[in-house]
Amino acid sequence: MILVLGSTGTTGGEVARQLIAAGHRPRLLVRDPARAAEFQGSAEIVRGDLDDADSLRAAMAGIERVYMVSAGGDLPAQEGRVVDAAREAGVRHVVKLSVMGADDPQIEFSRWHAKSERHLMDSGLAWTMVRPGNFMTNSLAWADTIRTQGAFYQPTGEGRWAAIDPADIAAVAVRALTEDGHEGQAYAITGPESLSAAEYAQRLSAAIGKPVNFVDVPPEAARGAMLESGMPAGYVDALLDLLAAMKAGHMDGVANGVEQVTGRPARTFDDWARRNAAAFQ
């Protein structure tokens, strides 16, 4: 049996849907079962929390493979508890959602994941690391100002990155969860094109049928907006660290892990934008 964490979130939800579509009945660990209503009847839903070791141990009973995902500064501690519970329960294989660069961490996000990866690698469990670049769905953070002002604002200048569709992240994870041969592998995965923010704006403009502009802003202006939105200060610092790396060109480049694992090319941002155009209109 497969346990999926984060099934009410971006990648965990996609993993759960794709497992169910392939004929599996996964177990989903959620804090609020009401938020997992779409999976009622097609998955086993259990209540739990990554900060509650007892709930993790209970959720691991009878589990062979785990999709592990967490976020924020508590990620190493939370995923450490998941790995420890999995080891105690005799789980065979953990597939971890990580990030590109975790093998040579230069920014805060990758340092969080590198620490978690090391704990998993040292656990004695079979493991697979899925290391995506920036999610295409992160552009939904631009939706409000695109709808109201025809623009989005972030401090990335001419920096380029190859955003990936979360459905492709899930496709790689599902292969690792359901096939042998992925143990001990770390897959770097991105979309097929590395684009600047201005080019993402052009692609969104074509998808929604109205002009979209990108406005480069100073990091401190972005910090103020993030804090005002309610983001925790530590997460804001980590996000600005990432945006600075993007601006400096450190996130430029394309990785072919999606095709390597699934046998098909990664989906394009144009395709994602057309499917999600209503969010920006």
Side-chain angles (χ1 to χ4, degrees), residues 245-263:
M246 291 162 71
K247 185 170 186 173
H250 300 319
M251 312 304 286
D252 192 6
V254 171
N256 70 344
V258 173
E259 187 164 8
Q260 176 188 353
V261 175
T262 69

Side-chain angles (χ1 to χ4, degrees), residues 151-265:
F152 66 90
Y153 307 80
Q154 67 179 32
T156 50
E158 297 180 2
R160 307 172 72 85
W161 64 96
I164 182 167
D165 190 328
D168 283 337
I169 300 172
V172 172
V174 166
R175 290 295 185 102
L177 288 164
T178 59
E179 301 174 348
D180 292 328
H182 299 284
E183 297 84 354
Q185 299 296 313
Y187 297 117
I189 55 176
T190 70
E193 295 179 283
S194 189
L195 304 171
S196 68
E199 290 169 324
Y200 282 109
Q202 291 170 359
R203 304 302 176 88
L204 283 169
S205 179
I208 68 177
K210 75 170 191 177
V212 176
N213 295 309
F214 159 63
V215 181
D216 190 31
V217 295
E220 285 310 308
R223 181 191 301 276
M226 292 176 196
L227 291 172
E228 190 174 311
S229 75
M231 284 187 190
Y235 193 81
V236 169
D237 289 341
L239 189 53
L240 287 169
D241 193 24
L242 170 63
L243 294 170
M246 291 162 71
K247 185 170 186 173
H250 300 319
M251 312 304 286
D252 192 6
V254 171
N256 70 344
V258 173
E259 187 164 8
Q260 176 188 353
V261 175
T262 69
R264 60 160 178 80

Side-chain angles (χ1 to χ4, degrees), residues 54-95:
D54 289 339
S55 72
L56 290 172
R57 283 190 287 268
M60 294 290 175
I63 293 296
E64 293 186 347
R65 303 185 190 226
V66 176
Y67 177 69
M68 183 170 72
V69 56
S70 181
D74 292 336
L75 181 152
Q78 289 182 331
E79 294 192 350
R81 282 188 285 272
V82 173
V83 169
D84 293 346
R87 184 178 59 240
E88 291 173 19
V91 168
R92 288 175 45 206
H93 184 193
V94 174
V95 177

